[in-house]
């Protein structure tokens, strides 16, 4: 084989290796399609995956305790009320922290548990997505960013918590809470009226 052929073959191997390393770009989540799977540790060291929740309705809440938009919903008691309603209706509620180490909102498992207790919050579990893999799989952009998955594993809602994109606690009253409306639609056996809305809040600190 000539030197030129050897060089071309070597370049081909390099190009193939690069393609295999980069791989295809992950598809964005889509309402009406299966929700992206995940495997993430919670604050207790237990692994949660969507596969193990088959047959369950699931709510995902991206959160960052330092974000004023998140504080609006916790300090007003709005998020806790929604968590209780969801729990009473049989939902699995997973609060997800995708803040990377050194970034705003990053917490240790003990700190996350202390926050949950101090706010009287009642998520089923708090997931520590420090790598950001779960957040990127769901294209989570803000805190809060809400997702609802039905019992078949289908993503039926993604977007904002409500229609008042402010940090004012007074705006909680009278707002259209999209997550509550989704739960009502599913309970009635109806299609979700507003399956996609615009999320608002602080950017997720990947």
């Amino acid at each position: 084989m000539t030197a030129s052929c050897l060089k071309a073959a070597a370049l081909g191997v390099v190009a193939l290796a690069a393609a295999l390393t980069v791989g295809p770009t992950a598809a964005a989540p889509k309402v009406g399609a299966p929700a992206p799977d995940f495997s993430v540790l919670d604050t207790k060291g237990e692994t949660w995956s969507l596969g193990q929740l088959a047959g369950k309705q699931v709510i995902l809440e991206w959160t960052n305790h330092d974000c004023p938009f998140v504080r609006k919903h916790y300090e007003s008691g709005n998020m806790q009320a929604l968590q209780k309603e969801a729990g009473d209706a049989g939902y699995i509620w997973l609060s997800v922290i995708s803040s990377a180490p050194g970034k705003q909102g990053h917490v240790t498992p003990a700190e996350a548990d202390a926050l949950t207790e101090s706010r009287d919050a009642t998520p089923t579990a708090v997931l520590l997505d420090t790598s950001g893999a779960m957040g990127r799989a769901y294209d989570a952009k803000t805190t809060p960013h809400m997702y609802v998955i039905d019992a078949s594993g289908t993503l039926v809602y993604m977007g904002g918590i409500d229609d008042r994109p402010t940090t004012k606690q007074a705006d909680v009253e009278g707002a259209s809470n999209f997550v509550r409306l989704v739960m009502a639609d599913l309970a009635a056996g109806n299609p979700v009226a507003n399956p996609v809305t615009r999320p608002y809040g602080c950017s997720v600190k990947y």
Side-chain angles (χ1 to χ4, degrees):
M1 185 178 289
T2 65
S4 60
C5 288
L6 287 170
K7 183 177 181 180
L11 289 174
V13 170
V14 170
L16 177 60
L20 290 173
T21 300
V22 174
T25 301
K30 183 178 180 181
V31 163
D37 200 2
F38 54 84
S39 181
V40 182
L41 290 175
D42 68 8
T43 58
K44 310 300 183 186
E46 297 182 10
T47 300
W48 288 77
S49 68
L50 189 59
Q52 77 187 65
L53 299 176
K56 299 285 188 179
Q57 293 175 307
V58 180
I59 293 175
L60 304 177
E61 167 217 357
W62 261 263
T63 187
N64 170 352
H65 70 284
D66 283 329
C67 171
F69 292 93
V70 171
R71 291 203 303 267
K72 163 190 173 180
H73 292 287
Y74 275 99
E75 292 175 4
S76 66
N78 185 48
M79 193 69 79
Q80 295 93 321
L82 196 59
Q83 289 170 345
K84 185 178 187 308
E85 290 175 36
D88 289 346
Y91 281 80
I92 299 294
W93 183 296
L94 301 176
S95 297
V96 186
I97 301 173
S98 290
S99 296
K103 299 289 185 70
Q104 183 198 61
H106 177 75
V107 289
T108 65
E111 288 170 337
D113 285 343
L115 280 167
T116 298
E117 183 177 358
S118 68
R119 297 186 295 193
D120 292 321
T122 55
T124 309
V126 178
L127 306 189
L128 301 178
D129 177 40
T130 54
S131 72
M134 181 179 177
R136 292 186 176 93
Y138 277 83
D139 198 24
K141 297 183 181 301
T142 66
T143 51
H145 198 157
M146 310 297 297
Y147 298 77
V148 181
I149 301 166
D150 71 11
S152 72
T154 299
L155 183 64
V156 296
Y157 176 76
M158 59 181 179
I161 187 172
D162 62 24
D163 62 350
R164 301 283 179 89
T166 74
T167 59
K168 299 176 182 178
Q169 290 187 40
D171 285 340
V172 169
E173 186 176 355
S176 291
N177 190 296
F178 296 128
V179 177
R180 185 173 284 118
L181 292 172
V182 170
M183 289 195 292
D185 284 337
L186 293 179
N190 296 327
V192 174
N194 293 299
V196 180
T197 65
R198 184 177 180 179
Y200 70 87
C202 307
S203 62
V204 177
K205 304 301 189 287
Y206 293 115

